[in-house]
Amino acid sequence: PAPASAPPPGVQFNSSNSTTFALVSCGTGACRALPDASCPDSKCRYLYSYGDGSQTSGLLSTETFTFADAPGARGDGTTRVANVNFGCSTNFVGAIVGDGLVGLGGGDLSLVNQLGADTSLGRRFSYCLVPYSINASSALNFGARAAVTEPGAATTPLIPSRVKTYYTIELASVEVGNATYKAPRQTPA
C-alpha cells in the first residue's frame, strides 16, 4: 500500500514572522547541490526521498539559526549562523512523524557541513537518544556542547564514508551474553 500522509506537525515555521528568511533562487550552488531540484518559477523547489519511502517537497530557503553556547562561553550565550540553507517543506508523505528533519550526514547541504564551514561550531555534533518508550526529548548538541561527559555514556568517533551522506564507525568487539567477540582487523588496501 502507498504511504499515508503524515498528520500535521505540532510546530510549524511561519516565515512571515522572520526578518532573515529568504527563498533560494535557482542559479545558486545550494540549489545545484540538491539531487532533485526544479525551477518552474525561478525559486528552487526540491523533492527529497528517504530510504523508508517517505518523501518531502518544498522550497529551498535560508534563515539565521541560533544555537546555545556551551556553559562558560563569552558573549550573550548564543551563536548565530546566518544564511543556513534548509528545506521549507510544503508536502510530506510517509511514516515519519515529527516537526521536521535535520541532516547530519556528510552531504554538501547537511546542517553539520554548513555549520562547520563558517562557524566556531565546527563539524562537531552529538546526540543522546532517550529510549523510544520514554516521552521525552533527546539532546542534539553542536560545537563545544557536543562533548559527551555523562556517566555511563558511550561515544565513538564517526569515520567519513566514501558516500558523503553516510558515516561509519570502527567496530572493536561485540558482546553477546557473557562472551566478547573481537572484530577482525582489516589491512588497508
Side-chain angles (χ1 to χ4, degrees):
S5 290
V11 178
Q12 291 183 336
F13 173 66
N14 185 348
S15 61
S16 64
N17 290 340
S18 173
T19 60
T20 55
F21 173 83
L23 295 174
V24 174
S25 62
C26 290
T28 63
C31 188
R32 288 190 301 269
L34 289 169
D36 196 357
S38 63
C39 298
D41 56 3
S42 78
K43 299 302 178 195
C44 186
R45 297 182 180 276
Y46 66 87
L47 171 65
Y48 202 85
S49 300
Y50 296 91
D52 71 346
S54 299
Q55 289 185 328
T56 182
S57 59
L59 294 163
L60 187 62
S61 309
T62 62
E63 182 57 277
T64 297
F65 283 27
T66 303
F67 298 89
D69 288 336
R74 294 181 183 183
D76 70 355
T78 62
T79 296
R80 289 175 186 79
V81 184
N83 301 314
V84 175
N85 291 287
F86 75 103
C88 197
S89 180
T90 56
N91 188 41
F92 184 84
V93 176
I96 299 172
V97 177
D99 296 332
L101 301 169
V102 63
L104 299 174
D108 294 335
L109 290 180
S110 78
L111 182 59
V112 172
N113 273 344
Q114 289 188 70
L115 296 178
D118 298 316
T119 72
S120 62
L121 297 172
R123 292 187 68 242
R124 187 179 173 128
F125 71 96
S126 68
Y127 54 94
C128 298
L129 302 175
V130 298
Y132 186 73
S133 60
I134 295 176
N135 186 17
S137 296
S138 297
L140 172 61
N141 292 297
F142 296 94
R145 283 185 163 267
V148 179
T149 58
E150 290 79 7
T155 65
T156 187
L158 300 175
I159 302 167
S161 173
R162 289 186 180 120
V163 177
K164 280 185 176 183
T165 305
Y166 303 114
Y167 294 104
T168 57
I169 60 171
E170 183 177 343
L171 180 64
S173 64
V174 175
E175 290 183 30
V176 180
N178 292 329
T180 299
Y181 302 94
K182 291 193 180 266
R185 299 299 294 170
Q186 296 200 4
T187 55

